[in-house]
Amino acid sequence: MQKENLHVHLGDLHLRNPTLLAAGIMGLTGASLKRVWDSGAGGVITKSVSKEAREGYSGPRVVETPCGLINSMGLPNPGIESMLEEIKIAKDSGGLVIGSIFGNEVKEFAELAGKIDKVGADAIELNLSCPHAENLSTIGQNPKLTKKVIEACKDSEIPIWVKLPGNTHIPNLIEVAKSAEKAGADAIVLTNTLPAMSIDVTSERPILGNITGGLSGPAIKPIGLRLVYEVYEKVDIPIIGAGGVESGKDMIEYILAGASAVEIGTGIMKRDLDVFKKVCEEASTFLDERKVKDLVGSAHKN
Ligand SMILES: Cc1cc2nc3c(=O)[nH]c(=O)nc-3n(C[C@H](O)[C@H](O)[C@H](O)COP(=O)(O)O)c2cc1C
């Protein structure tokens, strides 16, 4: 049952609750997207998809740390044509589906966005921020390039969300966020994983095949919160928080910082697919008579 006080709007898009499946976790097939939707998520985001299929990096590709995961998947995906079929399956199950895309150049983003739009997805998330995939993280650190990519995708009829990197200093991040807003982005997502590594003392070598990867989970929640808080003060479009959400309290913290919704990825490891339902129940109990939308940005009040 979806609690009334958890309904939110991201622009014109209505969400039955503010929890979204984060890109890259269980988002490769229509069946798994449906499973997450059926388990109670307010929306599901596909694995980031490119024009052509990609194998990703050699293993090991994931390592556990005391407070989260480091992954260097390298954006493996089956390519857009195959993913469009999976999105159709997820849509047919009644889910709210967001297609995450990345390209090698501006016109590739536009091409992918057009295809995601036509297949009936509810929104597009532009991944401008994977910390371990060639030049991708640098797009979201560059205000001009970010603007160009968004403008190129704005022919699409559905909302454009922009996922920015957390590993940029605040004045620059604010510039990028403002530039995204000016270019017509409908929401900003903060944050992707943060650059990190792990070393094996026995072999005296880095553990990940790609040497470095991206840190996710509870370790990055305080950083995600700060980024949302800072950006909320400077832009008027909705913000979606990501990083370390595992409980209703985690979600409420992001809402108070200024997020209108949150993405959950690594939290699935801890609480299984029940995480969406549990986060919602815990948040709803905390809110009691209040509505989640009334708390957005409340931590900024004097
Ligand atoms: C294994 C793994 C794969 C990921 N793949 C993607 C991806 O394809 N595209 C993307 O934008 N983010 C990707 N992410 C980042 C997540 O979407 C999310 O931003 C990040 O993990 C922080 O949220 P969390 O702490 O709830 O996991 C990935 C994260 C993990 C752990």
Side-chain angles (χ1 to χ4, degrees):
M1 235 255 298
Q2 298 296 322
K3 299 270 180 9
E4 191 66 34
N5 59 356
L6 293 183
H7 288 212
V8 287
H9 282 88
L10 291 170
D12 292 337
L13 201 62
H14 171 254
L15 266 58
R16 61 183 182 175
N17 70 61
T19 63
L20 298 154
L21 172 71
I25 299 101
M26 297 192 68
L28 268 176
T29 68
S32 63
L33 289 163
K34 175 184 179 326
R35 228 181 118 204
V36 180
W37 171 257
D38 289 344
S39 74
V44 290
I45 305 173
T46 67
K47 172 77 189 163
S48 294
V49 65
S50 47
K51 190 171 169 182
E52 310 294 346
R54 273 172 68 105
E55 278 191 8
Y57 298 136
S58 56
R61 303 207 278 193
V62 180
V63 59
E64 203 170 342
T65 73
C67 260
L69 290 181
I70 310 175
N71 89 82
S72 64
M73 304 299 291
L75 295 169
N77 76 86
I80 186 71
E81 296 307 330
S82 175
M83 186 59 94
L84 294 176
E85 296 307 312
E86 303 303 330
I87 292 176
K88 273 188 217 157
I89 295 169
K91 274 309 297 172
D92 285 349
S93 72
L96 187 109
V97 183
I98 297 98
S100 170
I101 58 171
F102 68 98
N104 284 326
E105 48 184 342
V106 172
K107 72 172 196 301
E108 215 167 278
F109 274 97
E111 198 182 315
L112 295 171
K115 291 187 177 207
I116 297 275
D117 181 11
K118 280 204 188 75
V119 84
D122 297 281
I124 297 163
E125 186 175 271
L126 306 178
N127 180 1
L128 306 185
S129 50
C130 182
H132 51 86
E134 292 109 39
N135 298 325
L136 209 57
S137 65
T138 53
I139 301 180
Q141 289 173 337
N142 181 327
K144 283 196 186 128
L145 209 47
T146 296
K147 188 160 175 277
K148 268 192 193 162
V149 171
I150 297 166
E151 283 171 350
C153 296
K154 277 309 279 182
D155 280 348
S156 307
E157 309 249 313
I158 52 178
I160 304 283
W161 302 353
V162 184
K163 190 167 181 182
L164 298 179
N167 55 321
T168 178
H169 56 88
I170 286 295
N172 188 44
L173 178 65
I174 300 295
E175 282 314 303
V176 176
K178 281 185 177 167
S179 178
E181 181 176 43
K182 214 165 154 192
D186 296 279
I188 288 173
V189 184
L190 279 163
T191 179
N192 210 314
T193 54
L194 299 170
M197 75 181 295
S198 189
I199 293 179
D200 175 42
V201 291
T202 311
S203 63
E204 303 181 3
R205 295 285 305 140
I207 292 179
L208 293 169
N210 186 52
I211 301 177
T212 62
L215 181 63
S216 62
I220 69 168
K221 192 186 85 180
I223 301 169
L225 277 176
R226 169 178 153 268
L227 298 172
V228 169
Y229 189 93
E230 303 265 11
V231 169
Y232 179 80
E233 304 227 315
K234 304 292 181 192
V235 301
D236 291 325
I237 52 177
I239 301 171
I240 299 165
V245 177
E246 295 184 340
S247 68
K249 180 177 163 288
D250 295 330
M251 179 167 87
I252 296 289
E253 284 181 54
Y254 270 105
I255 302 285
L256 292 170
S260 297
V262 295
E263 297 185 3
I264 300 177
T266 308
I268 294 174
M269 260 185 46
K270 181 94 140 266
R271 302 184 87 176
D272 212 330
L273 280 184
D274 286 344
V275 67
F276 298 96
K277 217 174 276 167
K278 286 183 180 159
V279 165
C280 287
E281 279 165 9
E282 291 159 7
S284 183
T285 305
F286 172 84
L287 288 165
D288 196 14
E289 295 292 307
R290 296 176 299 174
K291 294 192 164 117
V292 74
K293 66 182 171 67
D294 301 329
L295 254 61
V296 175
S298 286
H300 295 255
K301 291 178 191 153
N302 289 327

